[in-house]
Amino acid sequence: MPTLPPLPAPDAPLDDAARDRIAECFAAICVEAGAIVMEVYRAGGEARLKADRSPVTEADERAEALILARLAERLPGWPVLAEEAASAGQGLDACQRFILVDPLDGTREFVNRNGEFTVNIGLVADGVPVAGAVYAPVLERLWSGGAAARLRRVAPGASLAEAAEDRAIRTRPAPEAGWTALASRSHGDPETEALLARLPVAERRSAGSSMKFCVVAEGGADVYPRFGPTMEWDTAAGEAVLRAAGGTVLRPDGAPFRYGKAEAGYRNGAFVAWGDPAASGRSEG
């Protein structure tokens, strides 16, 4: 890995500069893990079912091993909760700050070979994602966010200095009419349909994985509702990017969407991601 600036200890203050440094660290690790994911993807890796009946591939397991090793090197002492380790029974005691890892979000997209899967690392502090990185290796798109959000185009395994594109991103104000809504490609439900029916949606797109948060973050869409089941590691990195770009994530009733739900096994409830936080009141019905 490239040499990066010093990173804070688990109990150090998390100012804007520290959050940006952590996001940059996560971004570099995601791109490195993306090379492993692509190696399995090109070899035609298949999925098997875990005990909870969710799919897992060799790419999930190998990428997570790499990510955990890199986090131990760069952020020693930080608590980490990773999807495959959690599935194997390695939990995490309740704590104020911890890192969430999803080595391959969108396993179904990976198996279906549509390219819409991502590598995700996010940092939660006091129930809120404050730094994160999301990498789509097939598309070579890397989103990251701490105090500010960035989009880069980086090949799997390349250094961040080799990015073909590097620009700041921001959400857009909700248009007076003609919103763009994103919905899950693999998980539809009546609650989503009911919420979207109350909004001035002119265009609707389907997409997989945590990319949906990032499309909203870069101003390509206005709202992404999700009522189906997710885990905290599915959403933390994408929400961190969206928040850094000016958006927010709320429960459907407008209440805060919180992390650190150890008592619930780190399962999420329903949420709505908004590009324009002021637009969230339009969903009340």
Side-chain angles (χ1 to χ4, degrees):
M1 289 183 62
T3 300
L4 297 173
L7 294 168
D11 57 352
L14 281 178
D15 60 15
D16 288 354
R19 290 166 55 204
D20 282 336
R21 290 198 303 274
I22 290 172
E24 193 75 352
C25 173
F26 290 170
I29 296 172
C30 283
V31 173
E32 186 178 4
I36 294 174
V37 171
M38 289 305 297
E39 179 183 326
V40 180
Y41 187 68
R42 294 187 183 108
E46 297 182 355
R48 64 184 188 278
L49 293 179
K50 295 185 284 191
D52 63 2
R53 309 302 293 173
S54 63
V56 64
T57 72
E58 179 188 353
D60 296 78
E61 295 165 335
R62 290 178 55 193
E64 181 167 301
L66 180 282
I67 292 168
L68 293 179
R70 293 293 183 258
L71 289 173
E73 293 169 2
R74 294 291 297 150
L75 289 160
W78 283 81
V80 180
L81 182 65
E83 179 178 13
E84 303 313 323
S87 296
Q90 300 176 34
L92 180 69
D93 293 334
C95 51
Q96 294 301 305
R97 294 181 182 178
F98 62 100
I99 296 168
L100 285 160
V101 173
D102 189 345
L104 180 57
D105 185 39
T107 301
R108 290 179 178 85
E109 281 68 33
F110 180 92
V111 172
N112 292 335
R113 307 190 67 75
N114 66 19
E116 294 181 352
F117 52 85
T118 55
V119 181
N120 304 264
I121 311 174
L123 171 63
V124 168
D126 298 319
V128 177
V130 297
V134 175
Y135 182 51
V138 170
L139 305 178
E140 299 187 355
R141 291 169 71 84
L142 170 67
W143 299 269
S144 60
R150 301 167 70 179
L151 167 63
R152 283 168 280 194
R153 294 187 181 273
V154 189
S159 74
L160 300 188
E162 298 175 81
E165 177 184 355
D166 185 349
R167 61 183 175 90
I169 55 173
R170 293 289 297 175
T171 59
R172 69 186 184 187
E176 288 296 321
W179 293 13
T180 298
L182 296 178
S184 173
R185 185 179 301 283
S186 304
H187 306 278
D189 53 74
E191 293 88 352
T192 295
E193 299 303 323
L195 183 139
L196 293 180
R198 298 195 295 270
L199 299 176
V201 174
E203 181 181 6
R204 180 170 170 171
R205 303 177 195 161
S206 295
S209 76
S210 56
M211 285 175 54
K212 294 184 284 296
F213 289 102
C214 301
V215 173
V216 177
E218 63 181 76
D222 304 291
V223 61
Y224 157 42
R226 179 65 181 265
F227 288 82
T230 60
M231 304 297 290
E232 292 188 14
W233 50 73
D234 294 320
T235 58
E239 180 173 349
V241 172
L242 177 58
R243 284 176 167 273
T248 192
V249 178
L250 302 171
R251 286 168 33 186
D253 63 1
F257 185 67
R258 306 293 290 179
Y259 289 74
K261 301 179 289 293
E263 72 288 348
Y266 297 94
R267 293 178 180 84
N268 288 326
F271 64 83
V272 185
W274 301 95
D276 182 351
S280 62
R282 298 287 295 273
S283 67
E284 298 174 359

